[in-house]
Amino acid sequence: MTTTTVRRLLQHASRSLKEASDTPWLDACVLLAHAGGLSYEQLLASFPDTVTPAVHETFAALLEHRRRGVPVAYLLGFKEFYGLEFTVNRSVLIPRPDSELVVEIAVQLLEEFPRSPHSPRSLRVHDCCTGSGCIAIAIAHEHPQADVSASDNSEAALEVARENAARLVAGRLRLYHSDLLSAVPGRFELITANPPYLTEAEIEQLASGEPRAALLGGPDGLEPYRRLIPEAVDKISMNGYLVIEGGHDQHHEIGALMTTAGFTSITHHRDLGGNLRVTVGSMER
Ligand code: GLN
């Protein structure tokens, strides 16, 4: 196969993905690299003249799945988040760049956390609804002194989080099987959460094949917050923080729920796309 043929192969593939993807050319390149056992960067650096029939066949199968709407991350089996590579499968939500804002804020709050003789030795962090573990693991990775735990109500998701933790922050993440915070012991200086917050209609539009339990937040998307925010009150230590992700149009309600529960110093934060994404509250006592 000549260079033009590979280029043509990609052009053809890219055209065939136009309906299914907003980034057809990128998807085609990433999937061809994966089929050939290369990283995307390696593919670009050594643009191959030829592809073997076996690679071609694997590529064709991947393309077919992608055309049917399977996200690239599920086809590759991993997704990058906060500079780390997370294993993903159909049991977990695919980490979103938007959620990196939760990590950024959490890390900054931990760095600035007032230390006094009464402060515990290491700051305790818990990530609720952890899925692949991406938020908890990124925080543990960025803040090596933090004592980090995470929970999810799905055993299958916890298995993925366990594998990611073992590879990325070995021995540093405790995991709990828990409906929100109900089975999570202890108190924390900081709790993070990216709960399911979409409505049925939004999930239908998303059509990503991700687990409904990781996406559906009840009729208005806010049900998990109505339970999580009051539960967090007793789990947050003196002057600790709750850092939660939500849909762009939900932060007014999330802030109100926090105020009702007794949180103060509530702030809202925008993601790189300019959408409101994260609300932070403090439990001052
Ligand atoms: N951020 C995801 C989306 O909009 C939803 C994630 C969630 O429900 N927690 O696709």
Side-chain angles (χ1 to χ4, degrees), residues 125-143:
V125 180
H126 184 78
D127 180 45
C128 187
C129 309
T130 201
S132 64
C134 61
I135 290 175
I137 290 167
I139 293 172
H141 192 262
E142 286 295 301
H143 209 281

Side-chain angles (χ1 to χ4, degrees), residues 82 84 102-115 120-125 134-149 168-169 172-173 189-190 192:
Y82 222 84
L84 301 169
V102 174
V103 179
E104 233 167 78
I105 292 170
V107 168
Q108 192 177 344
L109 289 172
L110 289 173
E111 272 160 19
E112 292 167 1
F113 202 86
R115 309 303 298 259
R121 259 174 313 147
S122 41
L123 298 172
R124 298 160 298 182
V125 180
C134 61
I135 290 175
I137 290 167
I139 293 172
H141 192 262
E142 286 295 301
H143 209 281
Q145 294 85 36
D147 173 12
V148 187
S149 62
L168 297 167
V169 289
R172 297 226 14 244
L173 184 69
E189 277 65 48
L190 200 146
T192 54

